[in-house]
Amino acid sequence: MGPVSAAPWGSALILPISWAYIAMMGPAGLKRATEVAILNANYIAKRLGEHFPIVYSGPGGLVAHECIVDPRAFKGSAEVTVDDIAKRLMDYGFHAPTMSWPVAGTLMIEPTESESKAELDRFCDAMIAIRAEIARIESGDWQQDDNPLHGAPHTLDEVTASAWSHAYDRETAAFPVAGLREAKYWPPVARIDQAYGDRHLVCACPPLTAYQDAAE
């Protein structure tokens, strides 16, 4: 019948993995995991809510198992978009949360039940530090077209190169918080125009003459 990973069958492991998770957790474990996931999301929403708008909160300002941070106003105040924040998070050692869904231009953060409080705090500290960096752009301390958010992510090759073309310093680029000196993830690739390839199709196929030569 062919590979089961292709349509219309999908991945054969989706249902067994879900079943095994439910079976091993049991009713009490699933309830506890849900409670912790909701608690974690509300902890993040509470800490970040003092620095970023939180959308879709319910009565009492509470969220469910995820919180949505809304940085769209920074486009007008500092020329900073959700893409800039996502790239800068790489300098802090984080893969960005879900971007632009379910609300365009926002970050949807789902900590689940598996993250420790220390890791939640590390992420919140990074987001709060990024907000402070945005404030420096808003105040005019940093230029709108040359700042750590627009320059992110910063690779090891760039930071250690002889030439440094930015108005901000290397330390700010690579070590915005002290903890990064003990455990630093270096992004292997600097920023690219991720939309360029979608808008400019380039055929990487061999020329037709290559097929003709192979047939002969």
Side-chain angles (χ1 to χ4, degrees):
M1 70 186 229
V4 296
S5 60
W9 308 106
S11 172
L13 286 176
I14 289 178
L15 293 181
I17 289 174
S18 303
W19 178 86
Y21 179 83
I22 293 172
M24 289 187 292
M25 295 281 282
L30 289 173
K31 180 182 178 181
R32 178 60 176 167
T34 303
E35 290 171 343
V36 174
I38 294 173
L39 179 63
N40 285 350
N42 278 278
Y43 178 74
I44 290 179
K46 183 66 175 178
R47 284 206 62 192
L48 296 187
E50 300 177 5
H51 307 274
F52 299 89
I54 305 294
V55 299
Y56 293 151
S57 58
L62 298 177
V63 299
H65 65 287
E66 61 195 27
C67 68
I68 302 176
V69 172
D70 186 1
R72 289 175 293 183
F74 302 139
K75 173 65 176 176
S77 65
E79 199 61 31
V80 169
T81 67
V82 66
D83 287 2
D84 298 318
I85 295 175
K87 304 296 186 185
R88 184 58 170 157
L89 276 171
M90 295 175 66
D91 287 330
Y92 285 81
F94 290 99
H95 188 289
T98 301
M99 292 173 54
S100 297
W101 191 89
V103 182
T106 66
L107 287 172
M108 183 180 71
I109 306 166
E110 288 185 274
T112 74
E113 74 283 0
S114 62
E115 302 294 347
S116 66
K117 183 177 180 297
E119 189 66 4
L120 296 180
D121 283 331
R122 192 172 75 89
F123 175 78
C124 290
D125 290 343
M127 288 293 293
I128 293 170
I130 289 174
R131 178 61 184 96
E133 292 178 345
I134 296 173
R136 293 187 64 176
I137 303 171
E138 292 172 325
S139 68
D141 189 21
W142 282 335
Q143 304 170 23
Q144 288 193 353
D145 59 351
D146 185 17
N147 55 72
L149 281 96
H150 280 187
H154 301 88
T155 65
L156 178 63
D157 288 343
E158 180 184 12
V159 173
T160 59
S162 299
W164 180 253
S165 59
H166 298 293
Y168 54 94
D169 58 84
R170 299 171 192 255
E171 183 178 11
T172 300
F175 303 107
V177 292
L180 292 172
R181 295 188 177 278
E182 300 175 3
K184 169 69 177 177
Y185 167 78
W186 290 99
V189 180
R191 182 176 299 217
I192 61 174
D193 183 353
Q194 57 262 40
Y196 184 88
D198 297 331
R199 297 170 180 166
H200 302 81
L201 299 180
V202 178
C203 180
C205 304
L208 292 178
T209 54
Y211 295 99
Q212 181 179 359
D213 294 341
E216 295 176 350

